[in-house]
Structures are given as structure tokens and as C-alpha cells.
Amino acid sequence: MNIKKIKWNHYINYVVIGIITLVLTVISLNQPLNSSLLFLLEKIAISIILAVSLSLVVGFLGELSLGHAGFMCVGAYLGGKVSALLVPSLGNGIAAFLISLVVGAGVAALCGVIIGIPALRLRGDYLAIVTLAFGEIVKSIFQNTSKESFGGAIGLATPRYDKNYLFIIAFALVLITLAIIQNYIRSKHGRAVTAIRDNEIAARATGINVTKYKLITFTLSATFAGIAGVLYSYSNYTVQSAKFGYNYSIEILVMVVLGGMGKINGSIIAATLITYLNTKFATVLTGDLAVLQNLIYALILIVIVIYNNAPALKHFRNRYNFSDFVKKLFKHHSDPSHVKDDAQKWDVVPTKIEMNEVLSVDMVPPEMKDYDKGNGGKK
């Protein structure tokens, strides 16, 4: 494999997240990290999985979904319940975690299929209303369960995984999420999805099965939301349905919008930033100042939306674009002394006849030859 042909910009997020995780792992093994930092890292990993998976539907498919917290709720409750049943016999180890992960992701995927079949025939605001209703229904169902089944309004008690290792597992799942979603987007199936986003009628006319690709994308997004829910159940001692309300779905959507529609790296950065700000605001703005948290959050959102869409700022955005800056930074400057000749051997061009035969062919038509003879060679 030629290293020069590798598109390193496709793997920059893997490298950055992998290096950060490796460094933090080495530090935590030598000296235990602060509990608040470990909890923040777990929340950041969960937010990244949620933002990247929702970006698959909102950014690449072009459909507005407001029920992402509902799929996360299903994964959190079902995965948390399975872990609570398995831990007494298997222990709070990786075996119980993996089984809970499979169950939570599988049930969330099944809900994605059930909701996706009728809902994805709708478009725009109608799809947003249906997915929003799904999230509220799921929250209400778990909130009204019995204490013996899913805890009811009090919440479901779940086993807490070891803080020193859960963030490592969480970021490993982030890398798996990125690998699956980015490879899906860069495949022929991903090109079909973006074609549906750009023009659904044209995509349907070219033979793309619109319903199939919508359902696959929606189900894949719900699956990773379920995985994030299982991580949430292991990161907390209690799973409460009130957490997975309408506001949390909007928060995940904001991560996608702030990061840029259809931009995986942007979603990662926005998820990290918003999670960090929310955690700091929750600790700094307490008491009567807690109302300022939503106000500051809304102001940040308004400023970024205006910056991304204001026509007066278009020239500034084009001139000081971060992605263009990165491209210029890593772009090789063209030096005439380094320009190589074309490797193709142009003196050996495969043809049916030799080049000297082509040059020696008489291109005068036969009727013109007879005409020239009749006129004594005069043309």
C-alpha cells in the first residue's frame, strides 16, 4: 500500500481521539485521575456517540429527528436492567457489560425499525413531530412502570462500572462508532444517502431505493443511540426517565447544528465543547444563578447560527474558514524543480496499426485521383 495515497484527513479524528485516550490511560494507570474529570470524560464520550449518530440522519440524510433521546432511553433502561440482573452472577465485569451493550443496542435498533417504517414516509416537520412523540411516549412508559420492573418515577438502580476504566471503554466505543459511520458514509451506500438528501426525486429517478436507505440510516443511528444509553446506565447509579426528555433531544441536535451539517469532526468538537460548558455551568451557576445557564446556552447558539447564515458575514466566513486553513497548512507547495515527468511511455502507444503506417497513408479519395488524371494532373 502506498502511504502517499492514503487520505490522512479521513483518519485525523481516529488519531487525535486515540492519542488522547492513550495518554489519559497511561496517566490513570500511574496515578488515579480526579473523579470529576473521569465523569466528564465519560459524558464527553457519550455525547460524541450521540452527536455523530444523529448527524447521520440530520446531516447526511437531511431528515429532522427529535427523538434521539428516546432511543437512548430504551438502551439505558434495557441495558441497565440486563446489567442489574447479570452482575450478581457474572460480576460487574466486561462480560456483563458486553451482554448489556448488545441488548441495549439491539432493542434500540428494533425500535428504530418499528418507528422508521411509517415515520420515514413523512418529511420535514411531520417527521420531527412523530419522532418527538416517540421520545415522549418512551419516557412516559418507563416513568409509569412498577418499582420492581424499571423503578417507575424513582428510576432504575444500575451497577456503576469502575471509573478508572469506563472512560477507556467509552472512547473505544467512540472509535468504533466513527469507523462504522464514516465507512458507511464514504461507501456507495453513503453516496446514495447524500443523493437522497440533495434531491430525493432525482435519487429515486436514478434507481435508488429511497425507503430502504432511509430505514437503514435511521436504524443505524438508533443503534448507536442505544449504545450511548447503555454507557449512560453504567456511568450512573440510577437511570431516570426525566433525563431523556425533549430538551435533551434538542441539546443533541444543537451539537450537530453547531458542528456543521454533515461534518463528523465538527459534531465531535461541538459535542465536547457543549458537554464541557454544561458541566462547568452546572457547578458554577448554582442557586438563583442556575437560570443563567440556559440563557448563556441560548445566546451561544444564536451567535453561531447568525455567524453561519448571515449574508453580510459570507465574505468573512469564506476568507477565514478553518477547514481551508487546515488544507493550506498541510498542502504541499508546488515547486517547479520537484515536478516529475509523466510516467506513461508515450513512445509506446498501443494501436491497431503502426504510427509510420498512419503517416504514410494516402488520404486522397479515389474519385479525386481519377479526376486529377483526367485533368492532366491538374487539381
Side-chain angles (χ1 to χ4, degrees):
M1 182 174 61
N2 192 351
I3 298 179
K4 294 182 179 180
K5 293 183 178 180
I6 298 177
K7 296 181 179 180
W8 293 106
N9 58 326
H10 289 178
Y11 304 97
I12 187 65
N13 45 22
Y14 300 105
V15 174
V16 172
I17 294 175
I19 291 175
I20 293 174
T21 305
L22 183 61
V23 170
L24 291 174
T25 302
V26 173
I27 294 174
S28 65
L29 292 176
N30 294 327
Q31 182 180 0
L33 297 174
N34 189 4
S35 297
S36 59
L37 177 60
L38 292 174
F39 186 60
L40 176 61
L41 291 173
E42 293 167 6
K43 291 177 67 176
I44 288 174
I46 293 171
S47 297
I48 290 175
I49 295 175
L50 289 170
V52 172
S53 58
L54 183 60
S55 179
L56 192 60
V57 173
V58 177
F60 292 98
L61 185 60
E63 298 289 353
L64 181 59
S65 174
L66 296 178
H68 215 54
F71 297 113
M72 182 184 178
C73 181
V74 171
Y77 268 97
L78 271 297
K81 186 65 176 180
V82 170
S83 63
L85 296 174
L86 292 177
V87 164
S89 57
L90 296 179
N92 194 7
I94 193 67
F97 177 81
L98 290 177
I99 295 174
S100 302
L101 196 69
V102 171
V103 172
V107 177
L110 180 62
C111 291
V113 174
I114 295 173
I115 300 300
I117 291 175
L120 290 177
R121 296 181 182 275
L122 305 173
R123 300 173 65 183
D125 298 338
Y126 300 102
L127 177 62
I129 292 171
V130 171
T131 53
L132 173 62
F134 164 76
E136 294 300 313
I137 291 170
V138 167
K139 185 187 78 169
S140 178
I141 289 174
F142 285 112
Q143 192 171 7
N144 291 282
T145 54
S146 63
K147 185 178 179 181
E148 293 75 18
S149 57
F150 292 100
I154 300 174
L156 175 67
T158 56
R160 177 68 163 89
Y161 205 85
D162 191 347
K163 293 181 180 180
N164 295 318
Y165 300 102
L166 183 59
F167 83 94
I168 302 173
I169 298 174
F171 277 102
L173 289 173
V174 168
L175 293 175
I176 294 173
T177 303
L178 290 175
I180 294 175
I181 290 181
Q182 290 190 154
N183 281 295
Y184 175 72
I185 291 300
R186 290 167 184 159
S187 66
K188 64 178 182 179
H189 308 292
R191 290 191 290 272
V193 170
T194 53
I196 295 171
R197 176 197 63 188
D198 295 337
N199 194 319
E200 183 175 334
I201 297 175
R204 198 184 297 274
T206 56
I208 296 175
N209 192 334
V210 174
T211 304
K212 182 187 80 172
Y213 281 112
K214 279 188 175 183
L215 186 60
I216 291 174
T217 306
F218 196 73
T219 304
L220 189 61
S221 176
T223 302
F224 286 106
I227 291 174
V230 177
L231 281 174
Y232 177 84
S233 69
Y234 268 97
S235 179
N236 296 270
Y237 293 99
T238 305
V239 177
Q240 293 181 323
S241 59
K243 167 68 178 178
F244 310 100
Y246 167 74
N247 290 330
Y248 194 55
S249 291
I250 294 297
E251 183 177 325
I252 303 169
L253 180 63
V254 167
M255 296 176 188
V256 177
V257 174
L258 294 186
M261 304 293 281
K263 295 181 180 178
I264 299 294
N265 294 338
S267 298
I268 295 172
I269 296 172
T272 304
L273 180 62
I274 289 176
T275 305
Y276 175 79
L277 289 177
N278 284 341
T279 304
K280 291 302 178 183
F281 285 157
T283 56
V284 174
L285 301 175
T286 58
D288 295 335
L289 295 177
V291 295
L292 295 177
Q293 178 178 350
N294 292 331
L295 178 61
I296 296 173
Y297 187 73
L299 288 175
I300 294 173
L301 175 62
I302 291 171
V303 169
I304 295 178
V305 169
I306 291 175
Y307 173 78
N308 289 331
N309 296 279
L313 298 175
K314 183 178 180 181
H315 178 70
F316 181 84
R317 291 195 303 268
N318 294 335
R319 185 171 183 179
Y320 300 100
N321 192 303
F322 179 75
S323 59
D324 292 341
F325 172 75
V326 173
K327 290 179 181 178
K328 291 179 181 179
L329 188 64
F330 292 98
K331 185 179 179 181
H332 298 289
H333 297 287
S334 58
D335 188 354
S337 62
H338 295 162
V339 176
K340 297 180 180 180
D341 293 334
D342 199 319
Q344 178 65 43
K345 294 182 179 180
W346 292 103
D347 56 335
V348 187
V349 179
T351 56
K352 292 184 179 180
I353 57 176
E354 297 293 336
M355 294 300 295
N356 56 354
E357 295 182 9
V358 174
L359 296 176
S360 62
V361 171
D362 191 354
M363 303 302 294
V364 180
E367 57 272 13
M368 292 299 297
K369 291 181 180 180
D370 297 336
Y371 177 78
D372 293 340
K373 291 179 180 178
N375 288 277
K378 294 181 180 180
K379 297 183 181 180

